[in-house]
Amino acid sequence: MSDEKQSPEEIVEPQEVESGAEEVAEELTEDQQRIIELEAAVIAAETKFTDQKDSVMRAIADADNARKRAQGEIDKARKFALEKFAGELLPVADNLERALQVANPEDEAIKPILDGVDLTLKSFVNTIEKFGMTVIDPQGQPFNPEQHQAMSMQENAELPPNTVLAVMQKGYEINGRLLRPAMVMVTRAPDGGVDTQA
């Protein structure tokens, strides 16, 4: 052992060691409290951020849905804005067709007039087709209750039952929506029965 003696400055009293340990413990406790406070603040900030992010995403989705609905309404309005006007034009086409049906094409005196009526009708049909209207002329086709209105039935051995035998008035659609059904005469079986299987 060394016989060196410690100087009085170097000698640490046990009481000083205990008070230093208490100060360190107090400092750790304050640091730990500060850490806990900061962790709580971070969690609160993350929760608030998540809530705000969800709110923003919902607002964006709502705005997008509203835009899509408005666009759909605009498209529908464009497609069917002419529906009433087109319905009012249909008698014009009907009258032109009737004029061609009742006139005698053999009569040379009225042949130029018939040619003019025919050209007018073709021009009329071409014009309405540009705006999404289509003519329903089901001559010889199977009867379709969604597009045709049966006005009468007639026995016919040559055609299958429920076939359109004659078109009394053509029908029209506008952009896939029925504007007016075609008025038709439908065939039935010669035995007098009606085929209800169609």
Side-chain angles (χ1 to χ4, degrees):
M1 293 201 152
S2 87
D3 292 334
E4 292 180 11
K5 292 188 178 181
Q6 292 180 338
S7 65
E9 295 105 15
E10 293 178 3
I11 297 174
V12 178
E13 294 293 325
Q15 289 175 343
E16 291 177 7
V17 171
E18 287 176 8
S19 67
E22 286 175 6
E23 287 176 10
V24 169
E26 283 177 17
E27 285 179 18
L28 287 177
T29 305
E30 287 177 13
D31 288 344
Q32 287 174 345
Q33 287 176 350
R34 182 69 180 144
I35 290 170
I36 291 170
E37 289 172 3
L38 290 174
E39 287 176 347
V42 167
I43 290 170
E46 286 176 349
T47 303
K48 186 175 181 181
F49 172 75
T50 303
D51 291 345
Q52 288 179 347
K53 183 179 174 183
D54 289 345
S55 295
V56 168
M57 295 302 286
R58 276 194 295 275
I60 289 171
D62 287 345
D64 192 44
N65 288 340
R67 183 188 57 77
K68 286 178 183 175
R69 275 193 303 273
Q71 187 61 43
E73 291 296 321
I74 290 169
D75 290 344
K76 189 189 254 186
R78 271 193 204 126
K79 277 185 176 180
F80 302 112
L82 295 176
E83 189 170 354
K84 187 172 182 179
F85 178 69
E88 295 295 325
L89 291 178
L90 297 183
V92 175
D94 294 337
N95 290 334
L96 292 171
E97 287 176 355
R98 282 190 205 104
L100 291 173
Q101 289 171 355
V102 298
N104 181 8
E106 304 293 322
D107 188 353
E108 291 297 322
I110 63 167
K111 189 166 174 42
I113 296 171
L114 288 180
D115 289 343
V117 171
D118 188 42
L119 287 174
T120 303
L121 178 62
K122 287 177 182 175
S123 175
F124 181 81
V125 170
N126 288 337
T127 302
I128 62 174
E129 285 177 348
K130 287 179 187 175
F131 291 94
M133 283 183 64
T134 54
V135 179
I136 301 171
D137 188 5
Q139 182 73 38
Q141 298 175 4
F143 177 74
N144 179 356
E146 293 178 3
Q147 292 185 333
H148 311 150
Q149 182 177 355
M151 303 305 290
S152 65
M153 297 188 83
Q154 184 175 351
E155 291 181 4
N156 190 309
E158 297 173 8
L159 295 171
N162 294 325
T163 301
V164 175
L165 182 63
V167 178
M168 298 171 193
Q169 188 178 55
K170 293 178 182 175
Y172 291 88
E173 285 182 328
I174 184 165
N175 294 313
R177 184 187 287 181
L178 186 66
L179 190 58
R180 181 180 79 186
M183 295 182 185
V184 298
M185 180 186 297
V186 182
T187 60
R188 68 177 179 197
D191 60 1
V194 176
D195 183 10
T196 58
Q197 300 300 318

